[in-house]
């Protein structure tokens, strides 16, 4: 893997002066070796809270992240604390006055002709380096936000604890693995799957206040925490980000699908896009990385970094 951007005094150059790759401490060129997970973790570290663009965030009502009404009853003191059915606390004064806020990052892969999937799945257009970055981004996140359709199509399983990230996560005050938060209106999910029955960190459901009570009960029975992030059937993107922040999740990662990412983009709550460009052409009618109604004015993001390996480009784009 080699670094193409940003160009620094450690970036190797060709005879024509073009960037070829970062050099390690021993002077070896980065393209001659596989980057360690520590190096990737540093390259993809979340920004410090005081660097987050608070002024550009969409204003949302100052309200607590409500639990579903069925979860308002008194919690059994013997239950796991993450599964207690009680209202979340109000945001602290630091969050109200511009302290640490959630940073929403997306991770997607696309072919040269814009396909986000092949045969309904992203794996065929991925590569080993892409999967290393995929694992690194998960290793840095507090929570992985994903749409219900992606859970069904991709066969989502709980995030696992990885020894390589244990010390880093402990130092940051994070759980051993990120939680998974599933965005769904109808809760049409199989709650007998491991994602819901045996996660290391309890899985969350983000839904609307009008979610079907019987499906909420089924989720609760499986040990899932249901969080309300909308007044109707669906989830309001800004409310979802706020609700996760109120639960203490400030490093957010969404892996799609395209419809969910489109909703985050349209609501102007996406802070960063990590995009892998696969050197492949698939044609067909596969979805793009983001779907839904177009925005009135295209949103401009700035290139933060660019890596390359075997023709795959790994870009990071941030909202200016």
């Amino acid at each position: 893997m080699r670094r193409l951007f940003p160009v620094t005094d450690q970036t190797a150059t060709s005879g024509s002066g073009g960037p070829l790759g970062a050099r390690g401490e021993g002077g070896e060129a980065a393209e001659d070796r596989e980057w360690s997970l520590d190096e990737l973790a540093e390259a993809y570290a979340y920004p410090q809270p005081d660097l987050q663009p608070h002024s550009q965030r969409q204003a949302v009502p100052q309200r607590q992240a409500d639990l579903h009404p069925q979860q308002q009853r008194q919690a059994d003191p013997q239950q796991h604390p993450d599964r207690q059915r009680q209202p979340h606390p109000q945001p602290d004064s630091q969050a109200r006055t511009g302290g640490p806020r959630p940073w929403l990052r997306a991770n997607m892969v696309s072919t040269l002709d814009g396909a986000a999937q092949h045969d309904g799945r992203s794996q065929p257009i991925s590569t080993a380096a892409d999967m290393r970055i995929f694992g690194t981004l998960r290793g840095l996140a507090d929570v992985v936000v994903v749409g219900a359709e992606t859970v069904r199509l991709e066969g989502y399983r709980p995030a696992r604890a990885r020894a390589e990230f244990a010390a880093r996560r402990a130092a940051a005050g994070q759980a051993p693995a990120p939680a998974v938060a599933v965005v769904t209106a109808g809760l049409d999910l199989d709650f007998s799957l491991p994602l819901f029955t045996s996660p290391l960190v309890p899985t969350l459901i983000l839904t609307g206040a009008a979610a079907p009570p019987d499906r909420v009960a089924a989720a609760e029975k499986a040990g899932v925490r249901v969080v309300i992030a909308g007044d109707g059937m669906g989830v309001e993107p800004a409310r979802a980000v706020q609700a996760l922040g109120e639960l203490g999740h400030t490093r957010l990662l969404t892996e799609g699908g395209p419809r969910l990412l489109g909703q985050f983009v349209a609501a102007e709550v996406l802070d960063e896009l990590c995009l892998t460009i696969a050197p492949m052409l698939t044609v067909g009618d596969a979805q793009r990385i983001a779907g839904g109604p177009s925005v009135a004015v295209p949103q401009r993001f700035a290139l933060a970094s660019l890596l390359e390996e075997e023709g795959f480009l790994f870009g990071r784009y941030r909202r200016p």
Side-chain angles (χ1 to χ4, degrees):
M1 180 173 288
R2 57 179 182 161
R3 185 191 306 275
L4 302 181
F5 182 86
V7 178
T8 70
D9 58 0
Q10 292 183 328
T11 300
T13 57
S14 67
S16 60
L20 289 179
R23 291 189 179 273
E25 292 181 359
E28 71 276 18
E31 64 267 28
D32 293 334
R33 60 182 175 82
E34 181 178 296
W35 282 28
S36 70
L37 291 180
D38 276 342
E39 288 174 306
L40 287 175
E42 289 298 326
Y44 283 90
Y46 279 82
Q48 294 300 314
D50 60 351
L51 298 180
Q52 296 182 15
H54 297 168
S55 63
Q56 295 184 11
R57 286 190 171 273
Q58 178 174 326
V60 294
Q62 290 292 346
R63 66 173 81 187
Q64 68 181 30
D66 303 316
L67 292 177
H68 192 277
Q70 293 192 32
Q71 294 180 293
Q72 303 269 339
R73 54 186 178 272
Q74 181 66 38
D76 181 348
Q78 299 301 316
Q79 288 182 314
H80 189 287
D82 282 326
R83 297 186 180 182
Q84 291 184 1
R85 302 185 181 100
Q86 52 189 342
H88 304 327
Q90 289 282 350
D92 60 28
S93 58
Q94 185 183 36
R96 289 177 179 271
T97 57
R101 297 189 183 188
W103 178 272
L104 179 59
R105 161 187 284 172
N107 181 31
M108 302 293 283
V109 59
S110 171
T111 62
L112 295 175
D113 53 345
Q117 305 157 339
H118 185 64
D119 288 338
R121 300 178 66 241
S122 59
Q123 189 277 330
I125 61 174
S126 182
T127 184
D130 183 46
M131 294 310 299
R132 292 201 305 275
I133 292 174
F134 174 91
T136 298
L137 296 181
R138 280 196 164 199
L140 297 173
D142 294 333
V143 62
V144 177
V145 187
V146 64
E149 185 66 13
T150 298
V151 167
R152 290 187 287 264
L153 289 175
E154 300 278 357
Y156 258 62
R157 299 184 63 83
R160 59 187 178 90
R162 298 181 61 184
E164 300 92 338
F165 293 97
R168 187 181 294 270
R169 293 186 68 86
Q174 294 175 291
V180 175
V182 183
V183 177
T184 174
L187 286 79
D188 183 17
L189 297 159
D190 182 356
F191 293 115
S192 68
L193 295 176
L195 176 62
F196 304 105
T197 61
S198 57
L200 185 62
V201 179
T203 295
L204 304 172
I205 290 289
L206 294 171
T207 192
D214 60 324
R215 298 306 298 160
V216 171
E220 287 188 282
K221 186 176 180 180
V224 178
R225 188 172 192 175
V226 179
V227 180
I228 298 303
D231 293 328
M233 282 287 292
V235 169
E236 299 166 23
R239 286 272 300 276
V241 171
Q242 182 191 23
L244 291 170
E246 291 172 8
L247 289 175
H249 301 311
T250 59
R251 306 169 187 88
L252 312 184
L253 170 66
T254 180
E255 297 170 352
R259 184 168 59 181
L260 178 62
L261 179 55
Q263 292 171 352
F264 284 134
V265 171
E268 299 186 11
V269 295
L270 184 70
D271 296 296
E272 179 180 337
L273 173 63
C274 297
L275 178 63
T276 296
I277 302 294
M280 302 177 185
L281 295 168
T282 62
V283 197
D285 56 359
Q287 288 181 295
R288 298 160 50 188
I289 65 166
S294 62
V295 296
V297 179
Q299 297 178 24
R300 181 70 180 264
F301 276 53
L303 179 64
S305 68
L306 184 63
L307 306 176
E308 183 273 341
E309 183 171 300
E310 297 181 345
F312 283 78
L313 297 177
F314 307 97
R316 292 180 67 191
Y317 299 85
R318 291 184 179 179
R319 182 160 42 175

